[in-house]
Structures are given as C-alpha cells and as structure tokens.
Amino acid sequence: MNRVEGQVRGISRMVDEDKYCIDILTQVSAATKALETVALSLLSDHLSHCVAQASAEGGDFAAEKVREANEAIARLVRS
C-alpha cells in the first residue's frame, strides 16, 4: 500500500507540474495495476482463511462467506 500511495502522490505532483499527459497516464496505469495486485492478494487471503474456515464449519455462515466472496470477485471483474 505504501508503494501505491507513493505512486498516487507522484501522479498528483505530475499533474500539478503540468507534465506530459501520456507520462501521467503511464503512471496511472502502474498505480492501477498495483491496486489490482493488492486486491487479488486480499481476495486470496480471504478465500484461504475466512471462506475455508467457514466451509469447514458449514451451514448458513459458510453459504454467506461464499456469497460474499462471489460478490467481491464480481466487483473485481467489473472494474
């Protein structure tokens, strides 16, 4: 997250300094990719821990965690 934060600050500085638009867009793309990496890592952790544990317990709680994970995946795919 610190890397992403630094990238976003850099983008803001580039805009303030009226840098070349294509260079700014390149940095926006890099920050977006970094955020996607964070999101996928969080999703992986959630599936490995929360969903796996809920599945082992079974019942409504397991179904809720699977639904929640499916919705998170759908949000990532849409973005």
Side-chain angles (χ1 to χ4, degrees):
M1 289 303 300
N2 289 334
R3 177 178 160 217
V4 174
E5 183 180 354
Q7 286 176 311
V8 171
R9 276 196 308 270
I11 292 166
S12 178
R13 190 170 42 255
M14 289 175 78
V15 170
D16 291 343
E17 294 172 359
D18 201 29
K19 297 291 183 180
Y20 187 54
C21 294
I22 298 303
D23 293 339
I24 296 170
L25 289 171
T26 299
Q27 293 305 312
V28 168
S29 177
T32 300
K33 180 69 174 167
L35 279 173
E36 288 172 355
T37 300
V38 170
L40 289 173
S41 177
L42 288 169
L43 180 60
S44 177
D45 286 348
H46 182 69
L47 292 172
S48 297
H49 298 103
C50 298
V51 176
Q53 181 180 1
S55 293
E57 293 174 15
D60 290 340
F61 185 65
E64 173 62 21
K65 287 297 178 186
V66 169
R67 183 195 60 75
E68 185 180 77
N70 281 328
E71 289 176 0
I73 292 166
R75 282 192 300 274
L76 285 173
V77 171
R78 282 192 297 261
S79 61

